[in-house]
Amino acid sequence: MSSENKEEIINEHDDNQAVETQAEEQEAQGETDHQESEADELKRYKEELEKEKDKFLRLFADFENYKRRTGKERIEMFKTAGQEVMQAMLPVLDDFDRAMVEIEKAKDKNLKKGVDLISNKLRETLKAKGLKQMEVKAGDVFDAEIHEAITQIPAPKDDLKGKVVDVVEKGYQLGDKIIRYPKVVVGQ
């Protein structure tokens, strides 16, 4: 073999090695770029997943709050569902009280007994539905939160200043809610 041929073979070999090395470098660079793009893509998917998770958790919390709020509203509605009916019945209770005072004056025992039975039955039925009479009597301290002052008069005694002198109309509660405030006269 001639030296030129040897040189040519060596040059070809070197050229092939250079091409192979270059191809390997490009392949390695391509893999690195591919790995970087996959890492970026993975990072982007993770961020999107976190956003969706956050959105889901907020939506779930909103729904739980909605359920809790509507549950409370339903319970409150059931507690006071009969409020209008109860308020309509309060004048009837007042009429029974006035009737009992007048029947006492008439001294008719049978009439008193009959009206008393009807009155008690009505009161017990309303009580079973949650209606309670507010206990207010003369001498109680006046409280604007639970009493309705219809007038003020000079206190008949010094110890009645700022206190209830007389109860003009009884007050009633339905559950914990006052549906009619007791009307009172206050001493000054």
Side-chain angles (χ1 to χ4, degrees):
M1 213 186 241
S2 74
S3 71
E4 282 182 15
N5 283 343
K6 283 184 185 179
E7 233 176 84
E8 226 176 85
I9 292 174
I10 291 174
N11 281 342
E12 270 184 42
H13 180 64
D14 286 344
D15 285 345
N16 285 341
Q17 271 188 335
V19 169
E20 284 178 16
T21 305
Q22 203 174 29
E24 287 174 1
E25 286 176 3
Q26 284 178 352
E27 192 177 305
Q29 182 66 33
E31 284 181 26
T32 305
D33 289 345
H34 182 68
Q35 287 173 349
E36 286 177 7
S37 68
E38 281 182 358
D40 289 344
E41 196 173 332
L42 184 62
K43 183 178 178 184
R44 190 173 44 118
Y45 286 142
K46 283 183 179 179
E47 287 173 357
E48 285 179 23
L49 179 63
E50 286 301 316
K51 284 180 186 175
E52 292 301 317
K53 256 191 202 177
D54 184 55
K55 224 189 279 185
F56 171 75
L57 289 174
R58 290 177 188 275
L59 185 62
F60 186 75
D62 286 345
F63 181 68
E64 286 298 316
N65 289 338
Y66 168 77
K67 277 183 11 183
R68 192 175 312 117
R69 185 178 61 249
T70 56
K72 276 184 182 178
E73 288 172 357
R74 284 185 70 191
I75 290 170
E76 187 63 30
M77 185 179 73
F78 285 129
K79 282 183 181 177
T80 59
Q83 181 174 340
E84 288 181 27
V85 173
M86 294 293 185
Q87 285 177 320
M89 296 303 291
L90 296 181
V92 176
L93 293 176
D94 295 338
D95 289 343
F96 269 114
D97 290 339
R98 286 189 281 279
M100 293 305 288
V101 169
E102 292 303 314
I103 291 172
E104 285 288 327
K105 291 178 187 175
K107 305 219 189 253
D108 185 348
K109 300 256 185 212
N110 289 330
L111 180 61
K112 181 185 180 315
K113 189 176 180 181
V115 173
D116 205 20
L117 284 171
I118 296 168
S119 174
N120 286 337
K121 187 172 186 176
L122 176 63
R123 288 177 195 281
E124 289 302 314
T125 303
L126 295 176
K127 186 177 178 182
K129 299 297 179 187
L131 186 71
K132 312 186 268 200
Q133 180 178 322
M134 296 175 68
E135 295 300 323
V136 180
K137 58 187 177 301
D140 287 353
V141 177
F142 174 74
D143 182 358
E145 295 289 321
I146 59 171
H147 301 115
E148 182 180 335
I150 57 171
T151 189
Q152 289 185 350
I153 62 169
K157 300 178 191 170
D158 282 342
D159 64 332
L160 288 178
K161 286 185 179 180
K163 294 185 178 179
V164 175
V165 175
D166 188 25
V167 179
V168 177
E169 191 175 70
K170 296 176 182 176
Y172 291 91
Q173 290 178 288
L174 183 58
D176 294 331
K177 184 178 179 185
I178 299 174
I179 60 171
R180 184 171 84 182
Y181 291 88
K183 293 181 180 164
V184 297
V185 175
V186 181
Q188 66 182 122

